[in-house]
Amino acid sequence: MADPREESEPLLSRTRGGSARHFPAGVPSCHSIQVGPGAVARRDLCLDQAVVFIEDAIQYRSISHRVDARSLWLYRRYYSSTSQWTLSFTIFLILALAFIETPSSLTSTSDVRYRPAPWEPPCGLTEGVEALCLLVFVADVSMKSYLVGWAQFRKNPWLLAYLVVLLVSLVDWTVSLSLICQEPVRVRRLLRPFFLMQNSSMMKKTLKCVRWSLPEMASVGLLLAAHLCLFTMLGMLLFPSEKDDRRDRQRLTYFRNLPEALTSLLVLLTTANNPDVMIPAYSKNRLYAIFFIAFTLIGSLFLMNLLTAIIYNQFRGYLMKSLQTSLLRRRLGIRAAYKVLSSMTAEGEAHPEGVGVKPQDFLQVLQKVQLDSDHKQAITEKLHSRSGDLLSAGEFQKLFDEFDKRVIKEHPPRPGYRSPFLQSAQFLFGHHYFDYLGNLMALGNLVTICVFLVLDAHVLPKDRDDFVLGILSCVFILYYLLEMLLKVFALGLRGYLVSSSNVFDGLLTAVLLVLEISTLAVYRFPHPGWKPEALGLLSLWDVTRLVNVLVAFRFLRIIRSVELMAVVASTILDLIRNMRAFGGILAVVYYVFAIVGIILFRGVIVAPGNSSLAPDNGSAPCGSFEQLEYWTNNFDDFAAALVTLWDVMVVNNWQVFLDAFRRYAGPWSKIYFVLWWLVSSVIWVNLFLALILENFLHKWDRRSHLQSLTGDLEATSEVTVELLFRDVLQEPTEEELAEKLSHHPHLQLCR
């Protein structure tokens, strides 16, 4: 067992110019014991510290945690894949409870006219699962608070908020059981998304960037509000009441009062009700069109796009600060590992302490680090390629630059053939022109499919002659099979499977071949007038359509052959990889607004005939909620609430939702939907556009830079958020790293 005083004592002592008052007697440092039983334990401690610091650097974690032997053991167990997967599954489980607990989403439809009574879980079932999840979170916050220490815990707002959320959730859970699950509102459901946010450092950074960008967004928001209010007043003055109600459609429909006028122009700002809102006035006088055109030009085309530009500029600036912090964490973790390992050089040896790190010590640490074997091999090869006995700080840092590079596996050697004919065939079928021929055949296959779809669009399946289509399908599939076999011949099986494109083509070819063989076995070979009847689960046309869908997917191989398409495709792939933080924040917002919507609007949408507010479809006004049969859009359960929020976020016909919930729930419901529009369509969508712009511009303008980083242009498909901006980030100085290390709460370096 480690000495309990180790945690609070310096781990690295000073060899010259130091003062003994920093190190109480009896507490050895990493190098102070040269011989004896404690030497091995101290050496193992230093190695474990270096391992943890390097793992912190890899994951961009803070190194401000306990570094004694017991704490390091707990720390590595906490961040092990098993523990983190358990925590992630627990977060998923507690969030998924919203689909099961009352009101349950376990029905086939959310339409209020046809929805059956859902299955409701008995009291205590979901509460029991929730209790287990909360216990996991209690263990999580307890572990985190111990590892960082009480002093750091008090300074961390996320950990303090974590503790508060847990306390409120446990109290609310107790209230639920005491009321036999009949409480009107469950506060803890609103707090559940916090567990997702606090477990993602990137989500925290993104949320911080959004919070810092709010003042700039608010300035444009004020301009939008002023623009909206000004044109609302102008509209009220331009469309006054008239004696003839038949000619007063504009005011009665869109400018009946100030709230209605404000709502109409707000919806027009999103162009959702254009040109409906303009037509009544425009039919009276064509000059009224100037009012609506001016409003749309200033609001939608100028101010909204200006908001996008500001969000892009501010978000990128603040994201730089966040990523700069991540870079500092990586450099700090690596430097701390270097300091610990360099301190292990014994005082009596040829190399004085602090000069560098022994390669054998570094390799011993590297074997313990949780890192994939490819990166370990790349770092080891880079280490062996250098000359010299000890690693300096700069050399130590350069070894870990491999973290940011995609490890490109060496292509397996091609098979060797002695025959000149086979060698020529291998060269021919292994050339990239053979890929171009395959792309041309895939294009021809797709064109023939489109032609037959057009020709047979108005022909019933029983009247179709599938002879030509059946023959062409056989020809193309035989070519795909021949192409796959020839590539295996030229590249070898291992060489063929190295390329993800070849694996994709091979799998689709195998599926197409199985479907074609099954079709021929059931319906025989195609012949003129071939009109087989439907047999079994799928008719011939169903099978052919499935084959055609797979062929369309196979045509995607052409993307990597066109540079612009390849850049766009790689940008999309990068967005998918790096959208976890943005998608997580959107999921949090969706979750909270869905729960609030259930609290506010559950049961307000009723089936027609059950309320005077719900007229039959025949008597409902054209374009209304009832006439459009939007009955599935409600807040009667969690799944329905999510879909309703999605439909509003798209802002297509969202004025229908505003009007319906105003009539069913009251005019105050507009506040909810306007807030949702601001958060989802204005803020989040603009942040998403900013990410797309930055990602694509970086891909298009800096391909050569990434090629120099990775040594292969194809490696740009593996860009992370940190590497995306690495060339514009500033490396921390030696003084900054030394200052940060000197203030480490548990690693007290002498200075």
Side-chain angles (χ1 to χ4, degrees):
M1 181 67 66
D3 193 326
R5 293 176 295 174
E6 288 177 0
E7 171 54 31
S8 61
E9 297 305 329
L11 296 173
L12 302 179
S13 63
R14 187 170 53 181
T15 58
R16 53 183 181 271
S19 175
R21 69 178 182 271
H22 296 290
F23 312 104
V27 181
S29 66
C30 285
H31 69 281
S32 59
I33 296 180
Q34 304 301 323
V35 293
V40 175
R42 297 300 299 170
R43 175 182 173 82
D44 292 341
L45 174 60
C46 292
L47 292 176
D48 290 340
Q49 290 169 358
V51 168
V52 169
F53 287 146
I54 291 175
E55 291 176 347
D56 289 340
I58 295 173
Q59 301 296 332
Y60 299 100
R61 295 195 296 253
S62 171
I63 65 171
S64 298
H65 53 76
R66 297 177 185 266
V67 290
D68 61 275
R70 178 185 177 187
S71 298
L72 291 176
W73 185 86
L74 290 174
Y75 188 85
R76 297 200 72 195
R77 295 302 177 274
Y78 174 77
Y79 281 107
S80 65
S81 58
T82 302
S83 299
Q84 292 304 304
W85 272 107
T86 301
L87 183 59
S88 299
F89 176 76
T90 304
I91 295 173
F92 168 79
L93 186 60
I94 197 170
L95 292 177
L97 286 178
F99 292 97
I100 302 175
E101 56 193 5
T102 305
S104 172
S105 303
L106 302 179
T107 56
S108 59
T109 178
S110 61
D111 195 318
V112 296
R113 298 169 298 177
Y114 315 119
R115 180 179 57 207
W119 174 81
E120 300 293 349
C123 182
L125 178 61
T126 57
E127 286 74 16
V129 176
E130 189 175 13
L132 294 177
C133 295
L134 292 177
L135 289 177
V136 173
F137 295 139
V138 169
D140 180 52
V141 72
S142 302
M143 181 67 72
K144 286 182 176 178
S145 61
Y146 169 76
L147 292 175
V148 301
W150 175 245
Q152 293 296 313
F153 179 83
R154 291 180 299 175
K155 298 177 183 178
N156 193 318
W158 282 98
L159 289 180
L160 292 176
Y162 196 0
L163 184 60
V164 172
V165 168
L166 276 176
L167 291 175
V168 174
S169 299
L170 289 172
V171 170
D172 191 63
W173 180 85
T174 306
V175 172
S176 295
L177 289 184
S178 63
L179 296 178
I180 319 176
C181 308
Q182 298 299 319
E183 74 281 11
V185 178
R186 297 182 179 182
V187 179
R188 64 185 184 277
R189 298 181 72 183
L190 292 170
L191 303 178
R192 288 174 185 170
F194 177 84
F195 301 128
L196 177 63
M197 284 195 303
Q198 65 83 29
N199 196 47
S200 171
S201 60
M202 197 62 198
M203 283 183 62
K204 296 175 185 177
K205 295 175 185 177
T206 306
L207 190 63
K208 185 181 294 185
C209 293
V210 173
R211 179 170 57 86
W212 284 342
S213 302
L214 285 178
E216 287 74 16
M217 288 188 282
S219 61
V220 181
L222 289 176
L223 286 176
L224 280 171
H227 167 72
L228 193 62
C229 292
L230 175 61
F231 274 82
T232 299
M233 291 186 291
L234 289 176
M236 296 291 291
L237 295 174
L238 286 174
F239 311 116
S241 300
E242 297 184 5
K243 295 181 180 179
D244 187 0
D245 289 343
R246 291 174 299 176
R247 300 190 60 190
D248 202 17
R249 289 173 52 211
Q250 182 72 35
R251 183 173 182 86
L252 290 178
T253 305
Y254 300 107
F255 292 89
R256 182 169 56 249
N257 50 51
L258 188 61
E260 288 296 326
L262 195 63
T263 302
S264 299
L265 291 182
L266 177 63
V267 175
L268 180 60
L269 195 64
T270 65
T271 68
N273 60 351
N274 184 65
D276 298 351
V277 69
M278 182 182 71
I279 293 301
Y282 183 57
S283 63
K284 292 171 57 178
N285 191 324
R286 68 178 69 228
L287 293 179
Y288 280 136
I290 300 176
F291 170 83
F292 296 99
I293 292 174
F295 176 82
T296 304
L297 281 174
I298 298 174
S300 301
L301 301 182
F302 178 70
L303 290 179
M304 292 299 290
N305 289 321
L306 178 63
L307 180 63
T308 301
I310 289 178
I311 289 177
Y312 167 73
N313 182 62
Q314 293 297 327
F315 176 76
R316 186 180 187 278
Y318 288 121
L319 185 61
M320 289 299 99
K321 295 181 180 178
S322 178
L323 296 178
Q324 189 70 49
T325 302
S326 295
L327 179 62
L328 177 61
R329 283 187 172 185
R330 169 161 289 187
R331 297 293 184 257
L332 199 60
I334 294 174
R335 181 54 58 90
Y338 172 80
K339 288 291 187 181
V340 170
L341 291 177
S342 63
S343 70
M344 293 171 56
T345 305
E347 288 186 343
E349 297 184 1
H351 302 286
E353 178 193 357
V355 171
V357 175
K358 294 180 180 179
Q360 57 269 29
D361 292 339
F362 174 76
L363 289 175
Q364 188 174 355
V365 168
L366 186 63
Q367 295 305 315
K368 295 183 178 181
V369 173
Q370 294 181 359
L371 186 64
D372 61 272
S373 58
D374 293 331
H375 280 93
K376 283 186 178 181
Q377 182 179 358
I379 294 174
T380 304
E381 291 176 355
K382 191 171 182 179
L383 176 64
H384 290 158
S385 65
R386 60 172 294 276
S387 59
D389 295 334
L390 297 181
L391 289 168
S392 64
E395 292 174 330
F396 192 82
Q397 172 62 54
K398 289 181 180 179
L399 289 176
F400 292 98
D401 290 341
E402 301 295 326
F403 290 157
D404 296 323
K405 299 180 183 179
R406 177 192 177 199
V407 178
I408 303 173
K409 297 182 179 179
E410 295 184 2
H411 199 284
R414 295 188 177 188
Y417 299 104
R418 296 182 179 180
S419 171
F421 173 76
L422 294 180
Q423 291 177 358
S424 301
Q426 183 183 31
F427 173 78
L428 178 64
F429 298 125
H431 200 276
H432 61 273
Y433 283 163
F434 189 62
D435 290 335
Y436 295 160
L437 177 61
N439 293 338
L440 185 62
M441 292 295 293
L443 177 61
N445 195 354
L446 196 61
V447 169
T448 57
I449 291 173
C450 294
V451 169
F452 278 95
L453 287 176
V454 172
L455 294 177
D456 296 336
H458 302 290
V459 180
L460 295 176
K462 64 180 181 179
D463 299 328
R464 293 181 180 131
D465 186 354
D466 298 313
F467 169 65
V468 178
L469 183 59
I471 292 294
L472 290 176
S473 296
C474 291
V475 171
F476 281 113
I477 291 174
L478 286 176
Y479 173 80
Y480 296 147
L481 177 62
L482 181 63
E483 180 192 32
M484 180 180 68
L485 295 177
L486 290 176
K487 282 189 174 182
V488 172
F489 160 78
L491 304 176
L493 182 59
R494 290 182 56 196
Y496 180 84
L497 296 177
V498 162
S499 173
S500 58
S501 176
N502 288 338
V503 174
F504 178 73
D505 291 346
L507 288 176
L508 286 184
T509 300
V511 174
L512 289 172
L513 185 62
V514 170
L515 288 175
E516 189 65 24
I517 293 176
S518 302
T519 303
L520 296 178
V522 175
Y523 305 114
R524 308 304 177 192
F525 198 77
H527 55 270
W530 196 37
K531 298 178 182 180
E533 300 293 334
L535 298 176
L537 297 176
L538 293 177
S539 67
L540 173 67
W541 186 249
D542 293 328
V543 175
T544 304
R545 183 170 56 183
L546 179 59
V547 170
N548 293 342
V549 170
L550 295 178
V551 170
F553 275 107
R554 195 180 192 279
F555 181 70
L556 295 176
R557 57 182 281 171
I558 199 175
I559 290 178
R560 62 194 301 268
S561 302
V562 182
E563 182 180 8
L564 180 58
M565 293 177 64
V567 172
V568 174
S570 62
T571 301
I572 295 174
L573 291 177
D574 283 345
L575 289 174
I576 295 175
R577 294 188 187 99
N578 299 323
M579 273 299 296
R580 288 179 297 178
F582 293 88
I585 290 179
L586 182 64
V588 167
V589 174
Y590 258 97
Y591 200 100
V592 172
F593 269 84
I595 296 299
V596 173
I598 292 174
I599 295 173
L600 297 178
F601 306 119
R602 180 187 175 191
V604 299
I605 300 295
V606 295
N610 295 341
S611 171
S612 59
L613 294 176
D616 295 332
N617 293 350
S619 61
C622 182
S624 66
F625 186 91
E626 295 81 9
Q627 188 270 332
L628 294 172
E629 297 188 344
Y630 281 5
W631 301 109
T632 54
N633 291 286
N634 53 67
F635 291 89
D636 291 350
D637 59 70
F638 187 73
L642 292 178
V643 176
T644 303
L645 290 175
W646 171 263
D647 291 338
V648 176
M649 188 183 79
V650 178
V651 298
N652 184 31
N653 275 352
W654 75 299
Q655 72 276 7
V656 175
F657 295 91
L658 290 173
D659 175 70
F661 282 90
R662 176 191 62 80
R663 290 185 285 109
Y664 286 105
W668 54 268
S669 62
K670 293 182 179 180
I671 300 175
Y672 172 86
F673 289 101
V674 171
L675 284 176
W676 171 245
W677 169 72
L678 286 173
V679 172
S680 61
S681 296
V682 176
I683 297 178
W684 191 89
V685 170
N686 279 298
L687 287 174
F688 183 63
L689 291 176
L691 181 64
I692 292 178
L693 287 173
E694 184 61 31
N695 205 335
F696 180 78
L697 291 176
H698 182 88
K699 284 276 187 180
W700 188 251
D701 296 336
R702 303 177 186 176
R703 296 191 306 276
S704 59
H705 170 72
L706 287 178
Q707 186 175 3
S708 66
L709 279 178
T710 59
D712 185 54
L713 185 59
E714 185 182 359
T716 58
S717 62
E718 296 294 335
V719 174
T720 61
V721 172
E722 289 78 10
L723 183 58
L724 184 66
F725 300 99
R726 178 57 54 83
D727 59 328
V728 295
L729 296 178
Q730 183 179 2
E731 287 286 339
T733 62
E734 294 291 331
E735 293 76 11
E736 186 177 4
L737 293 176
E739 180 67 18
K740 293 289 184 180
L741 285 176
S742 66
H743 288 87
H744 192 286
H746 307 289
L747 181 65
Q748 300 177 6
L749 299 177
C750 300
R751 50 188 189 274

